[in-house]
């Protein structure tokens, strides 16, 4: 009987140790992921320098972003064309954030 209790306790101790070890390892990995410095504007990186008249993949995402924050209304063309409405929205954004008002996707947008 004593041997059975000892082996049960040993198995419990090993299981508990492995559980704690795996928890710590997964926490460490998750912690690494959260410490990466990312910009909320990363999706705009390839759009720098775009201006009215350009058609570039990803402008549609910019339009959705600006619409989400009220710079564009819900009736905006949902395409990758840099139109008058987008230029106006970018100018308003630049004014609100005290940036140089160009209407183009400058580095400080």
């Amino acid at each position: 009987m004593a041997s059975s209790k000892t082996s049960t306790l040993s198995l419990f101790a090993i299981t508990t140790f492995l559980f704690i070890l795996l928890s710590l390892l997964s926490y460490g990995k998750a912690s690494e992921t959260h410490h990466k410095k990312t910009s909320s504007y990363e999706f705009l990186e390839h759009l720098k320098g775009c201006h009215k008249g350009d058609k570039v993949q990803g402008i549609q995402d910019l339009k959705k972003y600006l619409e989400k924050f009220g710079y564009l209304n819900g009736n905006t063309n949902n395409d990758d064309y840099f139109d008058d409405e987008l230029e106006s929205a970018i100018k308003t954004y630049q004014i609100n954030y005290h940036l140089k008002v160009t209407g183009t996707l400058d580095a400080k947008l």
Side-chain angles (χ1 to χ4, degrees):
M1 266 324 239
S3 176
S4 177
K5 280 186 177 181
T6 304
S7 64
T8 303
L9 285 175
S10 295
L11 183 60
F12 177 75
I14 291 171
T15 305
T16 304
F17 173 75
L18 288 175
F19 177 75
I20 292 170
L21 181 65
L22 289 174
S23 296
L24 290 173
L25 289 174
S26 66
Y27 174 76
K29 189 67 173 170
S31 180
E32 284 177 24
T33 305
H34 292 296
H35 289 297
K36 288 182 182 176
K37 291 190 177 192
T38 58
S39 168
S40 57
Y41 301 106
E42 268 185 13
F43 75 99
L44 297 175
E45 285 297 316
H46 74 284
L47 298 177
K48 285 182 185 175
C50 290
H51 52 81
K52 186 170 67 173
D54 289 345
K55 184 172 185 176
V56 179
Q57 186 175 3
I59 288 181
Q60 180 180 6
D61 296 328
L62 173 60
K63 287 180 177 181
K64 288 177 186 175
Y65 176 85
L66 292 171
E67 185 178 325
K68 179 179 177 181
F69 294 102
Y71 291 96
L72 287 170
N73 63 27
N75 300 328
T76 307
N77 292 330
N78 209 5
D79 56 18
D80 284 324
Y81 182 70
F82 198 126
D83 54 19
D84 291 325
E85 289 180 57
L86 180 57
E87 181 185 51
S88 177
I90 290 172
K91 284 181 178 180
T92 303
Y93 181 95
Q94 290 168 330
I95 289 168
N96 287 343
Y97 286 92
H98 307 288
L99 301 170
K100 182 178 178 184
V101 179
T102 63
T104 63
L105 294 176
D106 303 322
K108 289 193 175 186
L109 177 63

